[in-house]
Amino acid sequence: MTTRSIGREAVIVLFSVLTLSTLSLLGADSPTVEIKVDQAGYLPQASKVAIVVSGAAAGDFMLKRAADGAVAYQGKLSAAIPDADSGDSVQAADFTRVKKPGKYFLDVPGVGRSWTFAIGQDVYSRALYLATRSFFGQRCGMAVDLGPEFKGYSYAACHRRGEYHVSSGRSGTAPSVKGWHDAGDYGRYIVNSGITTGTLLWTWEMFEPKLRKVNLNIPESGNKTPDFLDEIRWNLDWMLTMQDQDGGVWHKQTTEKFSGFVMPEQDAAPSLVIGTGPDAFKGTCATADFAAVMAIAGRVYRPFDARYANQCLEAAKKAWGWAEQHPAVLFRNPAGVATGGYGDRQSGDELLWAAAELWRSTGEEPYHRYFLAHFAEFRSSIQPDGPPAWAGVAPLALWTYALGKKKDAETARAIVDDSLKAADQIVVRSGENGYRISLTSRDYIWGSNSVAANYGLQLLVGHALRPNARFVETARDNLHYLLGRNTFSLSWVTQVGENAFKHPHHRPSGADNNSEPWPGLLSGGPNRGRQDEVMRKLPANLPPAKMYLDEQASYSSNENAINWNAALVFLLAGVE
Ligand code: G3I
Ligand code: 9MR
Ligand code: ZN
């Protein structure tokens, strides 16, 4: 052997070492967006499907143990089908048969490997904890610190200076305590607080055994009331300050304009109580939503704090009295005010929701009479498309009636029938969708991820009305989408999963010095409406499910909001 040939061998060895390490850095070992999994994971007994979008797949896939790469399961990808809303050609990798708890990843020859995920009974508990605790991180009026688990995630007490805006019919200083910041901005809005708090209180009512055990690490932890309810109370307390003596409720409390991307305590402008102006000053949607929520609180807090429950219930009745007298006072931003509108064009659904919750809590006839007189107008609100949303709460009214103990049997039966029919159709449609989600092309609106979550809620309510495993399965499919089984392979919950989105339009995340955003926040998601500057720069022919940017500037596709997070909490609590 000549020195030259030894040299050549060495070069070959060196080359292959380099190739291997380059491959393991860039190729084989780093996850590919072409394999889409729920990055939190899958329940042992549930269906387990990943989606593959790649022209290069050879046809097989392997499920491998994360610890040692051993093959736990081998299967075949399904035939490719087109998914219209994303434009993707999707193949499914079904590994439902694997039930053994553990950490895994998928290896698809020709394509690469997926992010790591778990199979286990508790795969969603971390996400549930973070998504619920995110409300603590939205608290207004007190110093917030996420503690040693999230060092550096803190801010000082904010927005303590309240004033009545001329549109409220009052003047001078106003209370400004408590409540949750609505979203990436620091406003507090009654209408959106309504559906948020209502959804969370329903979550408690439907899944209490699970939630009782959740320790949120909040200042109230350790008192007699479960943390989940203590957190909700922070917002209820603020809502109570927004009720006028005549029972009416002002629409919102915000600064005049959105602040810049500063920490909450640096937003020094007065927090104005803003109303509807001279006619009535308070608004019907705000007042009726308030009545509905306070009525639920009257049920939920009773075992823990009867005095508080009574206070909430009294506030609800008073609000109802005002709303009945003022059934259609709508809100629009008064001159000079540029914060969020939440200006609903219809108040009948909010009135129905208030009546239904008051009836369920009190069993008093006037509420029942109102409900029976009006429910037929809203029966068509239970549909296979269009789950509840901040502006559309009629389904909540109908469902709370059907879920309650006292009811007219025939009315309840009609509601149950409508609900099951709609849920069946959602199941069928989702089964035909490439990503197995319930969203229709029209559902890719501002906050579309909350539409997916609320389809999940609708299905789980269906399951509560009449148990059906397919409803639960489809609710989970929507959750899988939010946690990474989507065209972007992004988990849309901050700090959940190995590839979570990073740049929410969330002021504390933008203004602090932490490299990661605040945890547990759900992104608004794809929005075909392109309602911000950066979205408008996207190519015009993008399919709706792709109209999304993980950029802070994209408030119309990448903000967080409490109502969206509430639907996520409901789904996470309910899918087990
Ligand atoms: O429902 C229609 C649909 O029929 C139509 O096809 C589609 C076309 O764009 O629009 C749909 O309506 C959209 C509506 O959201 C759906 O709820 C509107 O375009 C869209 O402008 C509207 O966006 C709202 C947004 O504020 C702007 O007003 C969001 O719902 C609402 O969640 C959001 O809320 C903001 C607050 O104002 C301020 N704080 C942050 C919060 C979250 O971004
Ligand atoms: O930051 C605001 C966000 O919370 C709202 O959802 C959004 C729509 O109302 O508006 C954002 O504020 C933007 C404003 O509307 C236009 N100028 C840029 C602001 C974001 O920095
Ligand atoms: Zn604040």
Side-chain angles (χ1 to χ4, degrees), residues 183-186 258-261 338-341 446 505 507 553 555-556 559:
D185 67 313
Y186 295 133
F258 289 119
S259 74
F261 264 64
T339 48
W446 194 314
H505 184 86
R507 282 167 173 72
Y555 52 82
S556 81
E559 191 166 355

Side-chain angles (χ1 to χ4, degrees), residues 322-368:
W322 190 94
E324 250 198 325
Q325 299 298 308
H326 304 85
V329 185
L330 302 176
F331 177 83
R332 215 165 245 237
N333 262 340
V337 174
T339 48
Y342 289 119
D344 189 351
R345 301 286 93 198
Q346 264 158 348
S347 46
D349 54 327
E350 283 79 8
L351 287 167
L352 193 75
W353 188 30
E357 296 291 5
L358 273 159
W359 158 246
R360 189 173 171 187
S361 295
T362 66
E364 289 169 15
E365 268 311 314
Y367 306 119
H368 202 202

Side-chain angles (χ1 to χ4, degrees), residues 40-107:
Y42 303 84
L43 296 166
Q45 302 308 322
S47 123
K48 299 171 202 76
V49 172
I51 302 289
V52 178
V53 177
S54 167
D60 300 310
F61 73 88
M62 283 167 285
L63 183 74
K64 293 185 167 175
R65 289 203 312 234
D68 55 8
V71 178
Y73 182 78
Q74 212 161 344
K76 294 239 171 280
L77 298 175
S78 69
I81 58 158
D83 176 64
D85 290 338
S86 63
D88 291 344
S89 171
V90 302
Q91 294 179 273
D94 191 330
F95 49 99
T96 303
R97 274 160 62 186
V98 182
K99 299 193 162 56
K100 194 169 179 217
K103 292 219 159 137
Y104 300 91
F105 64 90
L106 279 180
D107 185 336

Side-chain angles (χ1 to χ4, degrees), residues 138-144 155-164 172-179 181 186-188 234 238 241 253-255 263-273:
Q138 298 288 115
R139 280 196 193 186
C140 188
M142 68 170 274
V144 167
Y155 55 84
C158 54
H159 306 108
R160 303 284 281 257
R161 204 176 125 215
E163 284 174 20
Y164 288 102
T173 59
S176 185
V177 292
K178 303 191 180 181
H181 298 140
Y186 295 133
R188 290 166 285 168
W234 188 263
W238 165 72
T241 71
Q253 184 163 18
T254 74
T255 51
M263 292 305 281
E265 70 272 26
Q266 278 147 13
D267 178 19
S271 190
L272 307 171
V273 173

Side-chain angles (χ1 to χ4, degrees), residues 458-525:
Q458 179 168 4
L459 289 158
L460 293 173
V461 169
H463 177 69
L465 295 172
R466 188 175 307 155
N468 183 332
R470 295 182 73 207
F471 295 172
V472 183
E473 202 60 71
T474 306
R476 282 188 201 120
D477 280 328
N478 286 294
L479 179 63
H480 296 327
Y481 169 80
L482 298 177
L483 295 178
R485 201 176 69 186
N486 53 59
T487 188
F488 301 98
S489 283
L490 272 184
S491 162
W492 269 312
V493 184
T494 49
Q495 300 210 36
V496 171
E498 286 184 346
N499 192 42
F501 84 109
K502 291 247 188 296
H503 308 289
H505 184 86
H506 177 244
R507 282 167 173 72
S509 297
D512 70 12
N513 294 317
N514 305 310
S515 57
E516 292 290 320
W518 283 56
L521 303 172
L522 177 67
S523 166

Side-chain angles (χ1 to χ4, degrees), residues 264-327:
E265 70 272 26
Q266 278 147 13
D267 178 19
S271 190
L272 307 171
V273 173
I274 296 168
T276 56
D279 288 345
F281 300 112
K282 281 77 64 178
T284 310
C285 292
T287 304
D289 275 341
F290 173 103
V293 163
M294 291 302 164
I296 313 174
R299 303 194 289 270
V300 166
Y301 288 87
R302 189 148 308 276
F304 307 101
D305 187 341
R307 263 187 60 184
Y308 189 65
N310 286 335
Q311 184 194 347
C312 292
L313 198 53
E314 286 315 307
K317 291 180 179 176
K318 229 173 139 181
W320 173 259
W322 190 94
E324 250 198 325
Q325 299 298 308
H326 304 85

